[in-house]
Amino acid sequence: MKPELTLHQRTLTLTRFPVRKNETLQAWDAADEYLINHCHTMDLDPQRPVLILNDNFGALSCWFANQAPVTTVTDSFITQQAITNNLSVNNLPTVTIIDCLADLPAEPQLVIIKQPKNNRLLSWQLQQLCHLLPQDCMVITAGKVKEIHSSTLKLFEKYLGETKTSLAVKKARLIFTSVNKSLTAPMPQPTSWTVPNHNLTMTNYANVFSSDSLDIGGRFLLDFIPSKSQYNDIIDLGCGNGVIGIKAARLNPHANITCVDESFMAVASCRENAQLNLPTTEKFNVIASNCLDNFDNQSADLVLCNPPFHQNNTITDHIAWQMFCDAQRILRQQGELIIIGNRQLKYHEKLSRIFAKVDTIGSNDKFVVLRAIK
Ligand code: SAM
């Protein structure tokens, strides 16, 4: 896969993050190209901010970085790393990278949105923009034709203003919205629900996995979290709102708990939930990371994981596989990895390749809970 994007006599070298040898996937898509082509003839003010929401691996941030002060908003630690790497490889000026909960810059001249997968995040962002934007600001969103439904366009109309779409090019489409300040409404509160048998109350920002109710996999895993005096360091890998790590902290109050997620909204929710559900958070840490990058070898006794099993619309186990390999690396000898997975994904077979012993400790029609020992 060639990493060069060439448009309008300009070439950018763009890679995904993490950078992998023999990568087969491009770091940009047709929607990025459509946006760049559309904005090419615009006369941008070099002083006034351009705001970019949900860039994927940095194609948009890199393209506009030398044209105006760019603020790029992302919920993803992985995107943040990709943008930073790609700016540096292309010798471009730095851009301001903020997460979705941070304040947006005032008076942007142009707002560019890559349509997020999650409509709750989209609605949240449109409401945030309606508060901020001046009436003359242009908002252009790009997405895949098959993901722009009439219900999606209704969200733009409801939360931001009058909306029109472009023709499709290479299966991508643009959405143009003019800001209608009279639609400004109070920002929605995070969702909150309880887990009855476990006495937990979980609060979730818009982009957190399963933010309307507890995921059925997560619920099943809650019953298999062990309590042992010899655990010093426990990790909840892919923590989401922190339900697993918080339960582990309750069962093992003597242990250090580290919750890890690549979504900043998940990290924020997990921190707030720990405050809400634990008597103390002294031994409870939450960090944004790509899997367990930069964690020391042999530094944990137990890793708990409800891994992601799809990326976009594709069922995949490549992130889960990275999580298992990272867990194997950072566990101490005899350390345990406990995971939940859909039966069809055959995690038992995969874990057996890298762990000394793998047992099934729970199962129902849909899921298995596996314990792998190093
Ligand atoms: N533990 C929570 C639960 O059981 O409800 C959430 C589990 S959800 C299936 C998987 C989580 O992994 C999501 O919160 C997602 O943001 C996170 N994730 C995906 N890719 C990741 C990565 N590369 N590094 C860290 N976390 C990741």
Side-chain angles (χ1 to χ4, degrees):
M1 171 63 52
K2 278 203 185 141
E4 280 90 26
L5 166 66
T6 301
L7 289 169
H8 311 287
Q9 284 87 48
R10 184 176 171 205
T11 297
L12 293 174
T13 302
L14 299 169
T15 50
R16 293 184 166 225
F17 182 89
V19 179
R20 284 189 297 208
K21 278 188 204 151
N22 307 323
E23 180 62 83
T24 54
L25 299 170
Q26 244 175 218
W28 68 92
D29 60 17
D32 291 319
E33 289 189 32
Y34 201 167
L35 267 173
I36 290 170
N37 288 332
H38 179 83
C39 296
H40 180 62
T41 49
M42 282 181 190
D43 211 3
L44 290 176
D45 178 343
Q47 307 300 331
R48 204 172 151 194
V50 168
L51 186 55
I52 300 173
L53 276 68
N54 318 322
D55 195 2
N56 209 357
F57 295 101
L60 298 170
S61 305
C62 287
W63 190 267
F64 290 96
N66 59 1
Q67 300 183 39
V70 169
T71 295
T72 187
V73 185
T74 176
D75 187 45
S76 164
F77 177 86
I78 289 173
T79 295
Q80 192 188 66
Q81 302 305 302
I83 294 173
T84 309
N85 286 353
N86 284 324
L87 285 167
S88 151
V89 164
N90 292 284
N91 294 317
L92 288 163
T94 53
V95 305
T96 306
I97 307 178
I98 58 175
D99 66 58
C100 300
L101 295 169
D103 289 338
L104 303 176
E107 297 285 318
Q109 60 180 311
L110 170 67
V111 179
I112 291 172
I113 308 179
K114 274 300 279 295
Q115 184 191 348
K117 297 279 165 264
N118 179 346
N119 273 345
R120 282 198 63 227
L121 177 62
L122 178 63
S123 305
W124 198 88
Q125 291 184 315
L126 294 175
Q127 288 173 82
Q128 198 187 20
L129 289 173
C130 199
H131 274 269
L132 170 90
L133 297 181
Q135 197 92 20
D136 71 333
C137 184
M138 229 178 306
V139 179
I140 310 173
T141 306
K144 292 195 172 83
V145 169
K146 63 175 184 196
E147 286 163 18
I148 303 175
H149 309 288
S150 53
S151 58
T152 321
L153 299 175
K154 280 191 186 136
L155 295 176
F156 283 85
E157 297 269 1
K158 179 173 176 191
Y159 295 121
L160 193 56
E162 197 189 329
T163 295
K164 296 192 179 99
T165 55
S166 71
L167 294 173
V169 175
K170 289 203 221 164
K171 297 186 183 160
R173 202 187 280 287
L174 300 180
I175 303 168
F176 303 97
T177 312
S178 40
V179 179
N180 176 354
K181 292 300 274 184
S182 73
L183 296 177
T184 309
M187 287 300 292
Q189 292 304 303
T191 55
S192 192
W193 35 261
T194 55
V195 190
N197 297 334
H198 296 270
N199 190 25
L200 293 163
T201 301
M202 309 308 293
T203 295
N204 306 270
Y205 286 108
N207 203 32
V208 175
F209 169 78
S210 199
S211 58
D212 292 326
S213 62
L214 178 58
D215 165 57
I216 47 172
R219 180 183 289 273
F220 194 50
L221 180 58
L222 279 176
D223 294 331
F224 296 91
I225 300 175
S227 165
K228 291 186 190 170
S229 57
Q230 65 265 38
Y231 294 146
N232 288 320
D233 300 284
I234 298 176
I235 292 173
D236 175 2
L237 177 51
C239 63
N241 56 30
V243 64
I244 304 295
I246 291 167
K247 177 76 186 185
R250 282 207 185 148
L251 291 167
N252 298 275
H254 54 280
N256 299 308
I257 310 285
T258 306
C259 292
V260 179
D261 206 287
E262 83 94 24
S263 152
F264 295 111
M265 281 190 162
V267 165
S269 299
C270 181
R271 282 203 184 108
E272 289 183 21
N273 287 327
Q275 298 279 357
L276 207 67
N277 290 281
L278 294 175
T280 165
T281 53
E282 218 174 288
K283 287 170 168 276
F284 196 95
N285 277 307
V286 192
I287 59 168
S289 166
N290 172 39
C291 298
L292 298 171
D293 284 1
N294 302 321
F295 278 61
D296 290 339
N297 291 353
Q298 317 235 18
S299 58
D301 306 293
L302 172 66
V303 177
L304 299 161
C305 183
N306 176 10
F309 60 88
H310 53 78
Q311 191 172 45
N312 302 343
N313 297 323
T314 322
I315 293 202
T316 166
D317 66 359
H318 84 268
I319 302 167
W321 178 243
Q322 190 188 342
M323 288 182 165
F324 301 162
C325 292
D326 282 8
Q328 198 278 348
R329 177 179 63 76
I330 66 114
L331 280 169
R332 301 187 174 110
Q333 284 307 323
Q334 299 299 312
E336 300 163 45
L337 165 66
I338 296 181
I339 64 128
I340 179 147
N342 272 38
R343 285 179 167 279
Q344 82 217 46
L345 290 168
K346 299 199 167 65
Y347 284 151
H348 194 291
E349 210 176 286
K350 288 175 182 121
L351 288 170
S352 301
R353 290 189 219 148
I354 51 172
F355 281 89
K357 191 166 183 286
V358 183
D359 293 313
T360 303
I361 56 172
S363 68
N364 62 18
D365 331 341
K366 211 163 173 222
F367 297 107
V368 283
V369 180
L370 304 173
R371 180 180 50 215
I373 299 183
K374 179 158 167 178

